[in-house]
Amino acid sequence: MSAAGAGADLGPCPICGRPMIAGPSVDRHHWVPRRLGGTAWDWLHRLCHKKLHSLYDERTLARDLADPESARADPEIAKFIRWARKQPPEALGRHAAPKGRRRRR
């Protein structure tokens, strides 16, 4: 998972700010999808990562949510963060699959 190994403290999640612990509750997120040329990435809670991808398609993520600050400023993500901060750091969560096409702005 990480160079520090499972169970290591990865610091706060760039989206929700909760502590991250290496293991199944974290994922790597490319701020600009790799297929669109992105290389920068961060660890995120799997819960936060799934939420980003359940709301927006890759082009929208690359165009409008290409860094933690812009993601946190998004109204849908801000609403999610208020809920997520009440969850334990190791929560995996589930999100409904997007209906039809993924939402674009």
Side-chain angles (χ1 to χ4, degrees):
M1 167 116 277
S2 78
D9 179 11
L10 299 175
C13 176
I15 299 296
C16 70
R18 294 177 299 141
M20 293 187 296
I21 301 165
S25 65
V26 295
D27 279 338
R28 249 174 58 152
H29 173 66
H30 284 84
W31 293 105
V32 173
R34 288 184 297 171
R35 73 177 191 89
L36 298 176
T39 57
W41 63 271
D42 279 313
W43 293 111
L44 302 180
H45 284 114
R46 178 169 284 178
L47 191 67
C48 299
H49 191 214
K50 285 181 179 181
K51 187 63 171 182
L52 286 171
H53 286 283
S54 74
L55 289 174
Y56 303 110
D57 62 61
E58 287 185 339
R59 291 197 186 280
T60 303
L61 290 170
R63 184 185 65 232
D64 300 333
L65 304 164
D67 58 66
E69 295 78 22
S70 59
R72 287 190 306 267
D74 178 79
E76 289 293 320
I77 298 300
K79 180 179 165 184
F80 164 77
I81 290 170
R82 286 191 296 277
W83 172 84
R85 286 189 175 154
K86 299 173 191 169
Q87 308 307 309
E90 56 281 335
L92 297 177
R94 294 176 22 186
H95 295 285
K99 294 179 177 148
R101 297 189 67 171
R102 289 187 180 185
R103 196 174 100 181
R104 287 190 172 189
R105 292 202 240 170

